[in-house]
């Protein structure tokens, strides 16, 4: 089963790389979010392929997807849906919003008001929407891919800590290297396009892979290692807010998927180390002194990883 998981994982990654050239790490992290049943926040400058990455992921899976362009005038009901009175039946009927899809692209999420951003809190955590005291479950698999730009912050609403904590990972795509950008230029406009990407997995296949990854074996020393890493963030002098238990669970789930993607039935400490920064960095809040010294959360995590003993095989 682990071999089949790895084969399907690499097939999906290769399919997405037909469009997103030279960004294998970002592609694999996005797939780990999908198979972890987590959510992905992509922050990068305009034009680097944030939206294209989400579209390629949706196109590669035979699943329903929706895109929501977040703007200051967007209302919570524009995302979740609304109850409308049906005069013929003399009762209210719920009309589903765009969040009722397998993959939801929240484009430029920080341009919507906090009230609208909060409309995603329940569905991202509990995978259901409650409207008029009635719960409405979303389909499985369910993945929110949100994008935001780190520049041109006028008129934006930074995501609060509670919202950031709902995202399994925060990544950036970055500029392509020279050869990859040359290939992109050569392929336009006749080269591969998102609309032409073949479907290489069904929603039922993804659900089965999610269930399999959740059963990947984790030894007690690896559990201790994850808790030690997250615990060190809570006592670091550079941080005023460390990783929560939800962050520990997220790191564990992501490490299981990474192990399965490598064709293993068990997690090794290297899986945890490789995912520590994308899973934990956006959940940490630096002290004012650290910010003045231009210390980043990634640097702090690097020091913690270097200073935490790695469990050795018996």
């Amino acid at each position: 089963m682990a071999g089949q998981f790895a084969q399907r994982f690499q097939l999906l990654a290769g399919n997405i790389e037909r469009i997103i050239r030279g960004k294998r790490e970002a592609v694999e992290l996005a797939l780990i979010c999908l198979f972890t049943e987590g959510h992905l926040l992509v922050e990068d400058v305009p034009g680097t392929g944030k939206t294209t990455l989400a579209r390629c992921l949706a196109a590669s899976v035979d699943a329903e997807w929706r895109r929501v362009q977040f703007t200051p005038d967007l209302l919570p009901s524009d995302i979740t849906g609304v109850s409308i009175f049906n005069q013929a039946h003399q009762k209210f009927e719920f009309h589903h919003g765009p969040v009722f899809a397998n993959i939801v692209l929240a484009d430029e999420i920080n341009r919507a008001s906090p009230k609208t951003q909060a409309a995603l809190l329940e569905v991202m955590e509990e995978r259901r929407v409650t409207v008029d005291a009635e719960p409405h479950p979303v389909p499985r698999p369910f993945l929110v891919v949100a994008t935001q730009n780190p520049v041109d912050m006028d008129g934006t609403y930074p995501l609060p800590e509670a919202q950031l904590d709902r995202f399994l990972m925060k990544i950036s795509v970055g500029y392509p290297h020279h050869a990859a950008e040359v290939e992109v230029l050569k392929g336009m406009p006749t080269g591969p396009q998102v609309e032409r990407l073949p479907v290489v997995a069904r929603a039922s296949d993804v659900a089965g892979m999610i269930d399999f990854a959740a059963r990947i074996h984790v030894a007690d020393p690896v559990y201790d290692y994850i808790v030690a890493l997250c615990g060190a963030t809570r006592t670091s002098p550079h941080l005023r807010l460390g990783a929560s238990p939800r962050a520990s669970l997220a790191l564990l789930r992501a490490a299981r998927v990474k192990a399965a993607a490598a064709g293993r039935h068990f997690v090794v400490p290297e899986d945890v180390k490789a995912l520590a920064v994308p899973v934990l960095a956006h959940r940490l809040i630096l002290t004012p002194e650290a910010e003045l010294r231009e210390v980043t959360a990634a640097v702090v995590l690097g020091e913690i990883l270097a200073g935490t003993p790695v469990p050795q095989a018996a």
Side-chain angles (χ1 to χ4, degrees), residues 272-291:
V272 178
K273 293 178 69 173
L275 295 168
V277 172
V279 173
L280 299 180
H282 65 286
R283 307 170 192 266
L284 309 178
I285 299 181
L286 296 164
T287 62
E289 295 78 15
E291 290 179 346

Side-chain angles (χ1 to χ4, degrees), residues 289-313:
E289 295 78 15
E291 290 179 346
L292 286 173
R293 295 198 304 270
E294 297 185 349
V295 176
T296 64
V299 170
V300 175
L301 279 172
E303 295 175 354
I304 290 173
L305 286 167
T308 304
V310 179
Q312 303 297 321

Side-chain angles (χ1 to χ4, degrees), residues 4 12 19 31 72 90 112 114 136 196-197 250 254 299 309:
Q4 294 177 8
L12 279 164
I19 304 293
L31 287 173
Q90 291 295 301
H136 303 274
R196 301 177 187 171
L197 276 182
V299 170

Side-chain angles (χ1 to χ4, degrees), residues 6-250:
Q7 185 178 13
R8 184 64 58 82
F9 188 95
Q10 297 305 323
L11 184 63
L12 279 164
N15 198 52
I16 295 172
E17 275 199 308
R18 297 174 64 182
I19 304 293
I20 306 293
R21 302 292 183 88
K23 293 298 174 184
R24 185 74 175 196
E25 182 180 3
V27 169
E28 291 189 351
L29 289 175
L31 287 173
I32 287 174
C33 280
L34 175 64
F35 294 119
T36 309
E37 289 194 292
H39 306 290
L40 179 66
L41 178 62
V42 188
E43 181 179 87
D44 216 327
V45 295
T48 52
K50 302 185 298 296
T51 303
T52 304
L53 174 60
R55 291 180 62 201
C56 290
L57 180 60
S60 299
V61 179
D62 184 18
E64 190 175 4
W65 82 287
R66 294 287 184 270
R67 173 179 175 175
V68 183
Q69 185 67 48
F70 278 63
T71 55
D73 60 347
L74 193 72
L75 298 175
S77 58
D78 294 330
I79 299 173
T80 60
V82 65
S83 293
I84 299 178
F85 187 73
N86 187 325
Q87 291 186 348
H89 297 89
Q90 291 295 301
K91 66 177 182 178
F92 283 93
E93 295 180 351
F94 179 66
H95 289 246
H96 293 77
V99 78
F100 287 89
N102 297 111
I103 299 175
V104 179
L105 172 57
D107 217 359
E108 296 190 282
I109 189 173
N110 57 331
R111 296 203 176 276
S113 67
K115 182 178 181 179
T116 302
Q117 292 176 12
L120 288 171
L121 287 176
E122 179 188 14
V123 70
M124 289 175 68
E125 182 68 18
E126 301 178 24
R127 288 168 176 77
R128 69 178 184 184
V129 172
T130 302
V131 177
D132 297 332
E134 286 291 329
H136 303 274
V138 294
R140 190 182 188 223
F142 177 69
L143 169 69
V144 173
V145 181
T147 69
Q148 63 178 12
N149 299 325
V151 296
D152 188 21
M153 301 297 287
D154 292 340
T156 63
Y157 304 88
L159 298 181
E161 285 71 25
Q163 181 105 11
L164 286 172
D165 204 33
R166 295 293 199 280
F167 288 99
L168 181 82
M169 293 185 193
K170 179 182 177 183
I171 67 171
S172 63
V173 179
Y175 292 115
H177 56 75
H178 182 86
E181 192 164 358
V182 168
E183 288 299 317
V184 171
L185 296 181
K186 285 182 177 179
M188 295 298 290
T190 59
Q193 298 178 4
V194 177
E195 294 78 10
R196 301 177 187 171
L197 276 182
V199 173
V200 295
R202 297 170 299 178
S204 58
D205 298 329
V206 174
M209 294 172 73
I210 290 170
D211 292 336
F212 172 75
R215 299 193 301 268
I216 292 294
H217 175 70
V218 181
D220 287 343
V222 177
Y223 283 119
D224 292 336
Y225 184 54
I226 292 174
V227 173
L229 288 175
C230 292
T233 65
R234 300 164 194 165
T235 58
S236 171
H238 303 296
L239 301 173
R240 59 187 178 92
L241 181 65
S244 66
R246 179 187 286 154
S248 303
L249 290 168

